[in-house]
Amino acid sequence: MKTLKALVYLIILCPVYFSLAQSTEKTVAPKKWYEKISIRGYAQVRYNRLLETNEKLKCEQCDRSWGENGGFFIRRGRVIISGDVSERLYIYIQPDFASNVSGSFQHALQIRDAYFDLALDAKKEYRLRFGQSKVPYGFENMQSSQNRLSLDRADPTNSPVSNERDLGVFFYWAPAKIRERFAYLVSSGLKGSGDYGVFALGFYNGQNSNRTEANNEPHAVSRITYPFQLKNGQIIETSLQAYTGKYVIEKNTKNKATVSDFIDRRVGATVVVYPQPLGFQAEYNVGQGPEFNPETMTTEVRNLHGGYAQVMWRQKVNDNFVTPFIKYQYYNGGKKHEIDARSYLVKDLEIGAEWQLKNYFEFTATYTISNRTYEDANLPDNHQIGNLLRLQAQFNF
């Protein structure tokens, strides 16, 4: 009799059990790849003409709204589509709606990033990155403009890779614990550079982002960086990086150079003391590259060197953060991506502060004291000195 009752209970409860099991399976069913995608972005609006003392002073690489005919300017308008679409594949696509095609044609849509990370192990400590992405050279280059204090990257360390990006394949390695630390340095507001591995090795076209290969010789780059954490919680990051290749320049008809393909190689070092609350950041690099010589009216391979140093203080005020900073940069060398590999001698001082309201709005003001010599075949004698107050409103969404 007991056996019969047990059998009846089993027959009655089995459908209920399977119904619950199916319901549970539906609850834990894996997400579709498109459900793992996140969309975010930011925009920056600037004005640079306040307290301006020299409208002839320009900065093509950093901000084309400097000087005469400059006005209100959308510096960046980014939308970022990213996510782990599978256990081993991460995608990151970032178009910019504020790219400048020319001095008068602004706000064009252009791809900034379009890369795909293939994890080689379950912990994702070993990764291969395919596509257009940032070239792992320098700290400030890796640091997102959304996080950076100064409005523009420094000439000496940004001149190796215009827009910081190129098309290629890169290998990254970092222990899972250090990858978490990289993520914390960004999410905590400490102005981290993001996760570009402890060790990086890559090969890329070398003609800068959104440009085709021009000489069938890819560039090679490598970087080693490590964020040390002291017992008191202070984090200090040090890095070494180098790259080598050949670059094809664009020449003016007045340029007497008989070749367009030039040696392009550098080595640099970085130290960052994260602002907890006092911070310090410095980078320096040396190398060889194309540079216009106004005396001979030709572009030549010449030595180059330069770097920057920055001191900052991060202070919490109520629920907001205010970060004043001072930054000085020096650069003596050419800029390969500008016409004739324009020759530069830069001595700039910035004094500024960033006010971060919650996580959706930031306001930055900097007073720039600039001393720049930049010469090419059209302007073989061009030395400009001036000061200006620069303002930026940033919106995060």
Side-chain angles (χ1 to χ4, degrees):
M1 192 67 178
K2 290 182 179 180
T3 303
L4 181 60
K5 286 183 179 180
L7 183 61
V8 171
Y9 288 146
L10 183 61
I11 293 172
I12 294 173
L13 292 176
C14 267
V16 177
Y17 171 78
F18 283 112
S19 176
L20 289 173
Q22 290 176 354
S23 175
T24 303
E25 287 175 4
K26 289 180 181 179
T27 302
V28 299
K31 292 182 179 180
K32 303 294 185 182
W33 69 266
Y34 50 81
E35 296 176 316
K36 302 176 183 179
I37 298 295
S38 70
I39 300 177
R40 60 184 178 88
Y42 68 100
Q44 297 171 339
V45 180
R46 293 183 182 176
Y47 189 73
N48 296 314
R49 304 300 301 276
L50 291 175
L51 306 181
E52 180 184 73
T53 63
N54 179 6
E55 67 175 12
K56 299 298 182 183
L57 178 66
K58 296 281 188 177
C59 184
E60 180 178 311
Q61 182 175 0
C62 56
D63 189 333
R64 296 191 180 188
S65 65
W66 278 36
E68 58 182 344
N69 298 324
F72 290 100
F73 184 62
I74 299 178
R75 180 64 175 90
R76 291 176 177 86
R78 305 280 176 89
V79 175
I80 302 164
I81 303 167
S82 63
D84 289 290
V85 296
S86 71
E87 291 183 359
R88 297 289 183 93
L89 180 62
Y90 172 82
I91 69 169
Y92 188 100
I93 300 172
Q94 179 181 214
D96 191 342
F97 292 85
S99 297
N100 295 325
V101 178
S102 66
S104 58
F105 183 12
Q106 299 180 351
H107 309 154
L109 176 63
Q110 190 178 82
I111 286 292
R112 277 292 176 262
D113 296 281
Y115 64 80
F116 312 90
D117 279 4
L118 183 64
L120 303 180
D121 65 308
K123 290 185 177 181
K124 301 179 181 179
E125 295 182 337
Y126 299 85
R127 293 171 289 151
L128 283 175
R129 175 167 296 178
F130 302 86
Q132 180 166 292
S133 65
K134 288 184 176 178
V135 175
Y137 183 86
F139 176 88
E140 197 178 51
N141 280 5
M142 302 297 97
Q143 190 181 38
S144 171
S145 301
Q146 189 175 14
N147 299 327
R148 193 180 61 251
L149 280 174
S150 57
L151 298 189
D152 297 300
R153 295 177 174 90
D155 293 59
T157 47
N158 192 225
S159 53
V161 188
S162 178
N163 292 322
E164 306 83 52
R165 297 162 171 86
D166 210 322
L167 184 60
V169 58
F170 304 91
F171 169 77
Y172 292 108
W173 169 79
K177 180 179 179 180
I178 301 304
R179 294 199 67 193
E180 291 174 2
R181 188 172 297 171
F182 283 137
Y184 166 76
L185 289 169
V186 174
S187 63
S188 63
L190 292 177
K191 309 296 185 183
S193 66
D195 182 359
Y196 293 87
V198 168
F199 172 75
L201 175 66
F203 300 91
Y204 58 102
N205 284 341
Q207 291 299 125
N208 296 328
S209 61
N210 299 313
R211 297 195 179 197
T212 58
E213 171 61 22
N215 57 8
N216 297 315
E217 293 188 35
H219 277 51
V221 64
S222 188
R223 179 174 184 250
I224 298 175
T225 188
Y226 197 88
F228 299 90
Q229 185 165 24
L230 307 183
K231 291 183 179 180
N232 62 359
Q234 177 69 58
I235 300 176
I236 300 173
E237 185 171 350
T238 58
S239 315
L240 289 173
Q241 50 264 321
Y243 78 87
T244 184
K246 287 188 176 182
Y247 189 86
V248 178
I249 70 166
E250 293 184 19
K251 294 185 297 182
N252 188 285
T253 55
K254 298 177 183 179
N255 192 326
K256 297 179 180 179
T258 57
V259 297
S260 298
D261 201 2
F262 293 88
I263 291 172
D264 175 31
R265 56 194 178 198
R266 300 196 191 190
V267 60
T270 304
V271 59
V272 179
V273 179
Y274 286 94
Q276 298 170 289
L278 177 65
F280 175 75
Q281 183 176 318
E283 297 191 84
Y284 202 88
N285 71 162
V286 299
Q288 290 181 310
E291 180 182 358
F292 181 75
N293 185 344
E295 295 181 359
T296 60
M297 291 295 290
T298 185
T299 300
E300 308 165 353
V301 173
R302 306 180 75 178
N303 293 331
L304 57 87
H305 61 102
Y308 72 90
Q310 176 177 285
V311 179
M312 55 276 199
W313 180 278
R314 186 168 185 258
Q315 181 65 51
K316 187 172 184 179
V317 180
N318 297 324
D319 293 330
N320 307 322
F321 283 94
V322 176
T323 309
F325 65 93
I326 299 175
K327 180 180 182 180
Y328 177 79
Q329 65 162 318
Y330 170 85
Y331 180 55
N332 189 342
K335 289 192 179 181
K336 61 187 180 184
H337 58 275
E338 296 185 10
I339 190 71
D340 296 324
R342 191 175 283 132
S343 175
Y344 274 83
L345 178 60
V346 178
K347 302 173 185 177
D348 280 6
L349 176 67
E350 283 183 278
I351 304 170
E354 176 196 85
W355 174 52
Q356 189 174 35
L357 175 65
K358 303 298 183 182
N359 59 353
Y360 52 82
F361 177 73
E362 297 175 18
F363 182 78
T364 304
T366 68
Y367 189 70
T368 301
I369 303 169
S370 184
N371 184 336
R372 289 175 170 256
T373 300
Y374 44 108
E375 299 168 332
D376 55 36
N378 268 337
L379 286 172
D381 184 13
N382 184 33
H383 181 201
Q384 304 293 339
I385 298 175
N387 308 334
L388 62 157
L389 178 63
R390 310 178 64 200
L391 306 175
Q392 174 180 281
Q394 177 173 302
F395 307 91
N396 307 314
F397 52 88

